[in-house]
Amino acid sequence: MTAPLTALFTPYNIATMALKNRLNMAPMGTNYSTWSGVVTDRLVDYYAERARGGVGLITVGFTHVHLSGQISPYSMGVHDDAVVPGLRRLTDAVHAAGAKASIQIAHGGRRCSSTVTGTQLLAPSSLPCVGGEMPRELSLAEIKTVIEWFVLAARRVRDGGFDAVTLHLANGYLLQSFLSPYSNRRTDQYGGSVEARARLPIEIVEGMRRELGTELPIIVRLAVDDFLEGGATLADGRRTAQLLEGAGVDAIDVTAGIPETMYIIGPPMSMPKGFLVQHARAIKDAVRVPVGVVGRINDPVLAEQILRDGHADFISIGRPLLADPDFANKARDGRAEDIRPCIACNEGCFQRLYSQLDVSCVVNPRAGREAMYPDVPATKAKRVLVVGGGPGGMTAALTAAARGHHVVLCERGARLGGQLLMGDVPPHKEEIRALRDYLTRQLAKSGVETRLETSVTREFVEREGPEVVIVATGARPVAPSVPVIDAKIVSSWDVLSGREVAGAKVVVMGGGEVGCELAEYLAAQGKNIVVMEMLPEILNGTEPRARVLLVRRLCDFGVQVLTQSRVVEVRGGIVTYERAGLKSRIEGVDTVVAALGSAPEAALGKTLGSGAAVHVIGDCVKPRRILEAMREGFEVAYDL
């Protein structure tokens, strides 16, 4: 049991809207709408489940006010009166589940794609996002039209039954592009000073207030710092917040970043928890309306402390509610240890969202599929044997037990966790440890019989007599096929598990995620590290925000990286490699570590010939990531 979270669960008001607690579901895109931006059953189920989970306010994510501002074929719209019945169905469900509802209205601006909008992108100035299309500068007449779009959208929000409207002034979309001197190069009344750059959002707020009167609170999600030289500063953010308050805004939800600093918008696990708290405090000290904060707050104890210290009036959490819709209820009931942790990997959420896919969650395979996988018992209890105690096997065991099956989990090692036991060793990977600890705790509570240091064979299965066997035996590291003379090559698994200790000068073969995280781990110990990668770039396939920060840290540690390089021989302390046909040598090497990927441990699944139904999941099918292992473990176990 955790200490009572009295501040977090104290009611408060945003203008006329009374809220039961200070936890707000932050706006996040889902891509669950129809092609035309209309609410779907899936979207309703998704938000209703999170409302039942106990938050005071649900804020529906990015909703375009006009088709020229649509950021995805499946993003939600508030651009036409035809969407209002769907909005009403959504708010009815949220209200019935015990929460209030707001909706974030926005225009994608220079972050859109003409393949979605069918038109050239709109922006304050003709300046594209990194890797984006060239937008055109809005004329003064068009700016007046943009104001009308937002005001009409606010009316539809009211007609759709929402309790508040949230104006999106963040994430590099159209309105934040006006606020930032990096993207706003105008010389007319909408560019230049802070007051001039804020003119368009201010005029929109004033127009919305005239339309809504005092009937509906207006919240702004405000990026108060671009974290970029030449961009908006925190001082700019403070002044903008004051101007917005003067225009009639009822609350300010603090965030930060622009597309050029995307790791601020979608902070990976290497970013500190609560890293925007002092930004929120700076805004709170400048205004009188309630101020919220977001940014890697996945712990209710941290959220409570932020409120007690007076840094903010409410807490916005997004990804943690993807991971566990019952976050608030568990926190309120003193069951924080039972909250399924968001590990800030961004793979199921941001990475899928920006690939125009529907959002998922690595640690919660039910996310967005609540109706497909209702939380109900199986029709018949079965005897289930799970082989392998990695994330896939543990998820399968927990899911089967929750459905009422009798489950035995066998792990040949002395500890549960599989590759999670090594994944949490490098710097900034503490969230992996949190996931491992959570799964282990839940298994201890679930009634699953866990047998460690137990190898499973065909004969073992025949003796146990399960009706179902789920094979989750994982993978093994791939050994390099190069000549090794008077030396040895150890695997990354050996080093991360502590079975091998690396010397002072290390060559890491493989510049993928494992190899580069290992390089950082060893460099942090003061070792001289060379990473060799056969491809033209390192960290291929790594989540982009995490990649940017890891590359920076490797540079700060002085790690040497050689791309398009192939080791051809290891002889004593000399590593010979070839790069575009030219051979070179690295001398004085103490340790060579292979981080070349993994191969399936598939033998057991192929040899089981008992009468049990056999299912093979995770890396023993094909080495991939935690997302696939946990999803397959969940789906197979649920469908038994």
Side-chain angles (χ1 to χ4, degrees):
M1 295 284 289
T2 56
L5 305 174
T6 53
L8 196 58
F9 291 96
T10 298
Y12 78 114
N13 281 39
I14 295 178
T16 58
M17 179 173 61
L19 297 164
K20 64 184 180 182
N21 61 47
R22 295 171 186 263
L23 272 175
N24 167 26
M25 180 177 180
M28 297 181 292
T30 61
N31 282 343
Y32 297 163
S33 301
T34 68
W35 184 271
S36 54
V38 175
V39 168
T40 60
D41 291 344
R42 183 183 187 188
L43 197 67
V44 171
D45 294 336
Y46 167 80
Y47 281 115
E49 174 139 327
R50 280 141 188 88
R52 284 191 295 271
V55 295
L57 178 65
I58 295 284
T59 305
V60 176
F62 181 108
T63 312
H64 53 268
V65 299
H66 189 265
L67 290 176
S68 64
Q70 187 174 7
I71 56 170
S72 163
Y74 301 101
S75 63
M76 193 169 163
V78 69
H79 58 291
D80 189 283
D81 290 346
V83 306
V84 171
L87 299 180
R88 176 66 69 171
R89 191 158 59 90
L90 175 56
T91 54
D92 286 347
V94 170
H95 292 152
K100 299 292 177 68
S102 185
I103 187 169
Q104 183 174 250
I105 61 173
H107 187 291
R110 68 191 190 113
R111 285 196 62 191
C112 292
S113 167
S114 60
T115 59
V116 174
T117 66
T119 60
Q120 188 177 5
L121 311 190
L122 306 178
S125 305
S126 296
L127 183 75
C129 288
V130 175
E133 301 174 37
M134 178 63 72
R136 65 177 179 82
E137 182 176 303
L138 283 162
S139 69
L140 292 176
E142 289 173 323
I143 286 175
K144 301 302 180 187
T145 301
V146 169
I147 296 171
E148 293 174 7
W149 291 341
F150 278 91
V151 172
L152 288 172
R155 187 196 70 197
R156 295 179 188 116
V157 168
R158 178 194 62 203
D159 296 345
F162 283 90
D163 304 288
V165 59
T166 299
L167 185 64
H168 202 335
L169 305 180
N171 292 18
Y173 297 127
L174 181 63
L175 300 186
Q176 192 206 1
S177 294
F178 272 86
L179 293 174
S180 172
Y182 178 83
S183 49
N184 184 348
R185 312 292 174 85
R186 300 177 74 99
T187 56
D188 60 13
Q189 63 265 44
Y190 290 95
S193 67
V194 174
E195 290 77 9
R197 298 196 310 271
R199 187 182 302 276
L200 175 55
I202 295 299
E203 290 177 345
I204 289 172
V205 169
E206 292 171 341
M208 289 166 57
R209 182 56 74 204
R210 286 191 296 270
E211 175 69 28
L212 301 174
T214 59
E215 181 182 354
L216 214 66
I218 299 174
I219 304 168
V220 293
R221 187 162 175 83
L222 177 64
V224 300
D225 189 342
D226 290 353
F227 282 85
L228 183 72
E229 186 175 353
T233 64
L234 181 55
D236 294 342
R238 280 170 57 93
R239 179 59 183 147
T240 300
Q242 292 169 339
L243 293 167
L244 290 164
E245 181 182 36
V249 162
D250 297 301
I252 297 171
D253 196 10
V254 169
T255 184
I258 57 175
E260 288 73 15
T261 53
M262 187 59 73
Y263 54 88
I264 299 295
I265 296 172
M269 67 179 77
S270 59
M271 292 291 289
K273 291 185 179 183
F275 70 99
L276 290 177
V277 167
Q278 292 306 316
H279 282 70
R281 182 57 187 255
I283 301 303
K284 183 170 168 55
D285 289 344
V287 299
R288 295 179 300 277
V289 297
V291 171
V293 64
V294 73
R296 290 275 284 120
I297 304 172
N298 65 351
D299 176 0
V301 176
L302 171 61
E304 173 78 7
Q305 194 61 52
I306 291 167
L307 295 174
R308 289 190 179 187
D309 290 343
H311 297 315
D313 300 293
F314 61 93
I315 305 294
S316 291
I317 58 172
R319 293 173 294 175
L321 289 174
L322 266 179
D324 195 333
D326 291 320
F327 183 104
N329 286 340
K330 291 176 180 178
R332 182 199 61 209
D333 296 341
R335 297 189 295 123
E337 69 172 15
D338 293 331
I339 294 173
R340 188 183 299 108
C342 168
I343 61 174
C345 62
N346 288 336
E347 291 176 16
C349 48
F350 279 106
Q351 199 159 0
R352 286 183 65 86
L353 186 68
Y354 293 151
S355 300
Q356 309 291 14
L357 297 171
D358 50 343
V359 161
S360 178
C361 179
V362 166
V363 302
N364 178 18
R366 283 188 73 239
R369 302 191 295 172
E370 289 79 13
M372 179 182 288
Y373 295 105
D375 190 10
V376 295
T379 55
K380 178 189 174 184
K382 298 179 180 178
R383 299 186 308 280
V384 180
L385 172 65
V386 179
V387 187
M394 286 193 283
T395 300
L398 285 169
T399 304
R403 295 270 283 160
H405 300 295
H406 306 290
V407 185
V408 174
L409 170 64
C410 293
E411 163 58 42
R412 67 182 177 185
R415 300 167 64 197
L416 294 170
Q419 292 184 51
L420 299 180
L421 293 167
M422 297 170 289
D424 67 10
V425 172
H428 310 293
K429 302 292 283 189
E430 295 84 2
E431 299 292 4
I432 299 298
R433 185 176 308 122
L435 175 61
R436 173 169 55 84
D437 291 346
Y438 165 81
L439 292 171
T440 303
R441 281 195 306 271
Q442 297 310 303
L443 277 171
K445 296 179 179 183
S446 67
V448 170
E449 181 185 346
T450 301
R451 303 180 190 175
L452 300 177
E453 298 181 289
T454 302
S455 295
V456 174
T457 62
R458 177 174 176 172
E459 293 72 26
F460 179 97
V461 174
E462 290 174 349
R463 285 197 309 271
E464 290 289 320
E467 296 169 80
V468 179
V469 180
I470 300 175
V471 180
T473 46
R476 63 183 183 278
V478 170
S481 57
V482 299
V484 180
I485 302 156
D486 297 329
K488 72 174 182 177
I489 298 176
V490 300
S491 77
S492 58
W493 295 22
D494 291 330
V495 176
L496 291 171
S497 65
R499 291 189 295 268
E500 295 280 352
V501 177
K505 186 171 183 178
V506 182
V507 169
V508 177
M509 297 173 60
E513 194 166 332
V514 172
C516 288
E517 288 179 350
L518 173 69
E520 181 185 14
Y521 169 65
L522 296 174
Q525 300 172 24
K527 301 181 189 297
N528 184 343
I529 310 297
V530 180
V531 174
M532 309 200 70
E533 169 57 49
M534 294 178 64
L535 297 174
E537 292 185 349
I538 59 171
L539 291 168
N540 282 276
T542 299
E543 196 279 322
R545 295 155 194 77
R547 183 183 189 277
V548 167
L549 296 177
L550 179 51
V551 168
R552 287 186 184 179
R553 296 195 301 272
L554 292 176
C555 292
D556 291 343
F557 277 122
V559 171
Q560 183 182 357
V561 174
L562 294 173
T563 57
Q564 302 181 78
S565 301
R566 181 176 63 89
V567 173
V568 295
E569 183 185 79
V570 178
R571 181 186 293 267
I574 299 173
V575 173
T576 303
Y577 67 95
E578 183 179 86
R579 195 177 193 204
L582 296 178
K583 287 186 177 180
S584 299
R585 299 193 307 182
I586 302 172
E587 299 183 353
V589 176
D590 299 297
T591 309
V592 179
V593 184
L596 302 174
S598 53
E601 286 279 21
L604 180 64
K606 295 177 180 177
T607 58
L608 291 179
S610 68
V614 178
H615 303 272
V616 184
I617 65 166
D619 281 5
C620 62
V621 177
K622 177 183 178 182
R624 288 155 295 164
R625 305 180 73 86
I626 301 174
L627 185 151
E628 290 83 8
M630 294 186 71
R631 186 192 68 220
E632 290 172 10
F634 170 80
E635 291 177 351
V636 164
Y638 188 96
D639 289 337
L640 294 179

